[in-house]
Amino acid sequence: MYSKNRTHLPILVIGAGIAGLSCAKTLQEAGKTVIVLEAQSRLGGRIFSKYINKDDCFDLGASWIHGIHHNPIWEIVEKHSINTHVLNYDLSNYIHDNRRPFSDIEQKEFLYYVQKVQNCITQMPQGSALDAVQTCLAKLDYKGNLFTQSKLKALLLSLFEYTANDPFATELESLASNYSSHEGYFEGDEVIFPEGYHQIIDILSQSLNIKTACHIKKITLNTDCVEVTDTQNITYTGSQVIVTVPLGVLKKRPYLFQPPLPKSYLNAITQIGFGSFNKVFFELEYPLPFLSHSSTKSISTFYWFEKKLFNILDLSSVYNKPIYLMLFGGKCAEFIDNATDDDVWTFISKSLPHGEDLQPHKKLITRWGIDPFSYGSFSFPTFNHKAKYIKILNTPIQDRLFFAGEHCSMNYAGTVHGSYLSGKKTAQNVLQSLSSIKK
C-alpha cells in the first residue's frame, strides 16, 4: 500500500520536550517533513518556565546547564546570546543538628571522609548503594577527634542518603552502587537562566510543525507505515515514529503500542529507574538568619534536622530578594506529590532552623510524580542496572519505531543535554534507515 512511497510520508515525533524538538529539528534540517505531536498545550515537557508577576521567572523543571565545557546546550546559549547566571553548588556549607555551623576544620575533615567513603564505594561490586555505603562505613577507620566515630558515620550515611535523593530522585536502597559513573555532567561552571530555560525550547521549536493538545491513544505499526491515533480519533500516518515521552509515561502506558512491544523492551522500561524530584521555591520578607553564619559564599547549605539531611539554596543573588529553593527526591518528593501546599510548608518550616514562625510571601511547589504527562522527573540507575537496557531502547523496531529521551542516553541520563543528544542521535538513525530504504 505505502511501500513505494514510504520515504515521502512525514516522520512523526511524539513529544515536544527537548528530545522531541532536537530530533524533529535535525530531521527537518535534513529536508524531511516532520509532524510533532504534543499532548500538552505548552512545549518543553520537563522544561517548564513560569513567570510570577511578570518579574520573576522560575524554572519548575530543569534549571541548570550542568557544566558548560563542550555542552551542546551551552553552544545554543552562546550562538543566541542568551543571558545566564553562574550558580555552582558543588561547594556547600554544613550546619550541625544543634544549629551550629561547621568550623572550617570540621568541614575539611568531614569532606575528607566523604571522599574516603566514595572511593571505597567505587571499589564495591554492583548492587545496592545502601549496602555499599554501609559496608564502607563499617570498614571506616576514623582517626580524627572533631567527631565521635558514631557521629561521623551517622553524618556520612545521611549525606549519601541525600545524594540518592539529589541528583538521582530515589532512595539509597534502590540506587546502583556505581551511581557516580552515571552522573553524566560536563566540566566547567553550572549556570541557570534568569529569564527561563524555555528560551532553549523557543529556539528549537521555531518553524516546526507542532500539534499541541494531541493526546495519543494508540501507535500502530503496520506492514509499511506507522499510524498514530489520538483521543479525537484523528489518525496521522508516517513512515516512522519517534516516541520521546518520559519514561514514566512508558511505564504507565505500555498499552499504547499495537502490536505490543517485545518483551525485551518492556523489561528495559520496567528495569530502568524513574523517580520523582520536586522543587519548593519560597520568598521571605527577610533573609534567613542561620545562613548568615555560613563559612563560605556557597549558595548551598546542608543542615541536619531529626537525623535527616536537608539542603537549601539561597537564590538571592539571582532575584535580588530573599528567595530560596529546596530540592526533594525519593520519599520526600513522593510526599510532596500527594500533599497540600499547607502540609508541604508545615513540613519545611518545621525542618528549618527557627522556621516555625516564617510566613512566605509566595511559594511554588512542583508535583512531577503525579503529572500525567511525565509521572516523575528523570531516570536513574537501579541496583540491577544493565547497559543492555539502554541499548535495547536505542534499537528501532522494524526500522519504524524509535525511542529518544534522557532515559535513552548511555552517558548523560537524567540531564537536559542527555535528552537533547539522544534526540539528535535518534534523528541520525532515522535518516540512515530512510537512506537504506531508498537503496
Side-chain angles (χ1 to χ4, degrees):
M1 180 171 61
Y2 288 105
S3 56
K4 291 183 179 180
N5 297 316
R6 179 178 159 192
T7 57
H8 298 292
L9 290 171
I11 300 169
L12 307 177
V13 175
I14 299 179
I18 196 161
L21 295 177
S22 71
C23 182
K25 196 78 168 177
T26 302
L27 291 169
Q28 187 183 72
E29 289 173 350
K32 303 302 177 183
T33 301
V34 186
I35 301 174
V36 181
L37 307 175
E38 168 56 47
Q40 300 192 72
S41 58
R42 64 173 182 85
L43 310 183
R46 286 164 284 170
I47 292 177
F48 181 19
S49 304
K50 184 173 183 177
Y51 276 88
I52 301 296
N53 299 328
K54 298 183 180 180
D55 296 321
D56 301 321
C57 185
F58 296 88
D59 275 314
L60 304 186
S63 294
W64 274 267
I65 296 180
H66 290 297
I68 62 175
H69 293 172
H70 310 295
N71 190 315
I73 306 301
W74 181 249
E75 292 173 6
I76 297 172
V77 167
E78 289 192 305
K79 180 178 179 180
H80 295 274
S81 301
I82 299 174
N83 179 37
T84 59
H85 182 96
V86 175
L87 205 67
N88 295 314
Y89 66 105
D90 53 341
L91 296 177
S92 300
N93 308 307
Y94 293 84
I95 295 177
H96 289 282
D97 50 10
N98 64 4
R99 300 178 179 177
R100 177 177 62 83
F102 278 35
S103 66
D104 289 344
I105 191 171
E106 282 178 325
Q107 182 154 325
K108 182 177 180 181
E109 182 173 285
F110 178 66
L111 294 177
Y112 168 79
Y113 282 98
V114 169
Q115 189 59 54
K116 200 173 180 69
V117 174
Q118 182 61 60
N119 292 341
C120 173
I121 293 171
T122 60
Q123 305 303 316
M124 301 291 292
Q126 181 172 334
S128 162
L130 178 59
D131 291 341
V133 170
Q134 290 178 330
T135 299
C136 292
L137 288 176
K139 297 191 297 184
L140 185 67
D141 183 18
Y142 176 54
K143 297 180 179 179
N145 56 13
L146 299 176
F147 306 91
T148 65
Q149 181 155 298
S150 61
K151 178 67 172 179
L152 177 66
K153 290 184 177 181
L155 295 176
L156 289 168
L157 177 59
S158 62
L159 180 64
F160 283 99
E161 287 174 337
Y162 184 84
T163 299
N165 299 165
D166 179 10
F168 293 102
T170 188
E171 297 293 324
L172 207 52
E173 60 265 27
S174 301
L175 185 63
S177 55
N178 63 341
Y179 61 83
S180 60
S181 64
H182 292 275
E183 195 168 46
Y185 294 173
F186 284 94
E187 296 293 327
D189 283 329
E190 296 196 311
V191 303
I192 64 169
F193 299 84
E195 286 82 45
Y197 221 131
H198 70 90
Q199 296 169 98
I200 300 295
I201 298 300
D202 293 343
I203 290 167
L204 292 178
S205 61
Q206 287 177 6
S207 77
L208 291 177
N209 181 4
I210 303 173
K211 300 185 182 299
T212 57
C214 184
H215 299 263
I216 305 305
K217 70 175 183 180
K218 187 168 60 175
I219 300 169
T220 305
L221 269 65
N222 295 317
T223 304
D224 44 15
C225 69
V226 175
E227 292 181 329
V228 175
T229 306
D230 68 15
T231 54
Q232 301 298 314
N233 289 321
I234 298 173
T235 296
Y236 302 86
T237 303
S239 60
Q240 287 142 314
V241 61
I242 302 100
V243 178
T244 73
V245 300
L247 181 62
V249 174
L250 294 177
K251 286 177 178 288
K252 289 276 189 180
R253 303 178 67 194
Y255 54 82
L256 285 172
F257 302 92
Q258 297 295 330
L261 292 175
K263 289 183 179 179
S264 60
Y265 289 79
L266 292 173
N267 185 54
I269 289 168
T270 300
Q271 294 299 328
I272 300 172
F274 194 75
S276 180
F277 187 78
N278 282 317
K279 295 180 172 183
V280 179
F281 294 91
F282 56 94
E283 180 184 342
L284 301 174
E285 185 176 358
Y286 301 105
L288 284 169
F290 76 93
L291 295 184
S292 64
H293 302 294
S294 302
S295 58
T296 74
K297 295 182 179 180
S298 173
I299 64 159
S300 171
T301 298
F302 284 103
Y303 65 93
W304 281 265
F305 175 72
E306 295 183 349
K307 298 182 179 180
K308 183 172 178 59
L309 189 62
F310 293 86
N311 189 17
I312 185 166
L313 305 184
D314 184 351
L315 303 184
S316 302
S317 64
V318 179
Y319 296 99
N320 296 313
K321 63 184 77 172
I323 291 181
Y324 301 92
L325 168 63
M326 296 187 72
L327 305 170
F328 298 94
K331 292 178 181 177
C332 281
E334 292 169 8
F335 159 73
I336 292 172
D337 282 331
N338 298 288
T340 66
D341 283 8
D342 287 344
D343 287 342
V344 172
W345 181 249
T346 297
F347 166 68
I348 289 176
S349 62
K350 285 183 177 179
S351 73
L352 286 169
H354 310 291
E356 293 87 345
D357 298 325
L358 294 176
Q359 293 297 327
H361 288 318
K362 47 187 137 175
K363 55 184 180 288
L364 276 175
I365 302 171
T366 68
R367 293 179 175 85
W368 288 102
I370 58 171
D371 186 321
F373 302 107
S374 60
Y375 293 110
S377 303
F378 42 79
S379 64
F380 66 87
T382 62
F383 58 84
N384 60 353
H385 185 79
K386 294 180 176 63
K388 73 174 184 179
Y389 301 144
I390 308 298
K391 292 179 180 178
I392 288 169
L393 292 184
N394 279 286
T395 303
I397 298 175
Q398 299 177 23
D399 272 336
R400 281 177 289 141
L401 171 58
F402 296 74
F403 293 96
E406 53 85 13
H407 55 283
C408 298
S409 176
M410 186 69 74
N411 299 316
Y412 306 113
T415 66
V416 173
H417 54 261
S419 191
Y420 175 84
L421 290 170
S422 172
K424 290 185 71 68
K425 177 183 176 183
T426 301
Q428 294 298 333
N429 291 340
V430 171
L431 292 171
Q432 184 177 0
S433 174
L434 288 172
S435 177
S436 65
I437 291 173
K438 286 183 178 180
K439 293 177 182 179

